[in-house]
């Protein structure tokens, strides 16, 4: 993790935020970073179409949960890229969320409802 000047500020996102595998872990405490994810066509096909309400489910959160639920996942602890964090970032990227508890619960209920619907289609 680097700052706007590419100076290292943390050894890694994974170690800083305790990123780990598991569906329930990532449902409750999402730590995957979309830019750091790689997946095959089967994961993409299982993820599509994305739920329509983007305010309640980010695409990387959705892909992470679909992958954790239906496929075998692996975390590679070695950093392969610089993850730049600065004041103008669009995403929180692991920084403590500013969303209130109601929003966080709503996100998880929305996601679970869509995953359940997906399982019965």
């Amino acid at each position: 993790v680097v700052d706007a000047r590419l100076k290292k500020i943390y050894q890694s996102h994974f170690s800083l935020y305790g990123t780990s595998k598991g569906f329930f872990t990532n449902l409750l405490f999402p730590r995957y970073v979309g830019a750091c994810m790689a997946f095959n066509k089967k994961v993409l096909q299982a993820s599509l179409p994305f739920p329509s309400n983007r305010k309640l489910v980010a695409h990387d959160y959705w892909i992470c949960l679909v992958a954790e639920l239906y496929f075998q996942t692996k975390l590679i602890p070695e950093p392969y890229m610089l993850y730049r964090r600065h004041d103008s970032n669009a995403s929180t990227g692991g920084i403590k969320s500013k969303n209130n508890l109601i929003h966080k619960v709503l996100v998880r209920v929305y996601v679970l409802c869509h995953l359940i619907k997906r399982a019965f289609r």
Side-chain angles (χ1 to χ4, degrees), residues 41-58:
K41 190 174 182 177
K42 290 179 182 179
V43 174
L44 176 63
Q45 289 171 334
S47 299
L48 294 175
F50 294 119
S52 60
N53 191 332
R54 292 186 182 132
K55 291 182 180 183
L56 291 180
V57 60

Side-chain angles (χ1 to χ4, degrees), residues 49-112:
F50 294 119
S52 60
N53 191 332
R54 292 186 182 132
K55 291 182 180 183
L56 291 180
V57 60
H59 66 281
D60 49 355
Y61 181 50
W62 178 255
I63 293 168
C64 158
L65 293 176
V66 169
E68 287 287 355
L69 189 60
Y70 295 110
F71 301 94
Q72 186 174 21
T73 61
K74 180 178 181 177
L75 294 178
I76 301 172
E78 298 85 14
Y80 287 99
M81 64 177 269
L82 298 177
Y83 184 50
R84 192 169 74 135
R85 304 305 306 158
H86 53 80
D87 294 342
S88 301
N89 276 93
S91 69
T92 58
I95 297 169
K96 187 171 172 102
S97 172
K98 294 177 183 167
N99 293 320
N100 62 39
L101 181 60
I102 293 170
H103 179 79
K104 291 176 184 180
V105 170
L106 187 59
V107 165
R108 282 135 181 100
V109 168
Y110 181 80
V111 167
L112 284 172

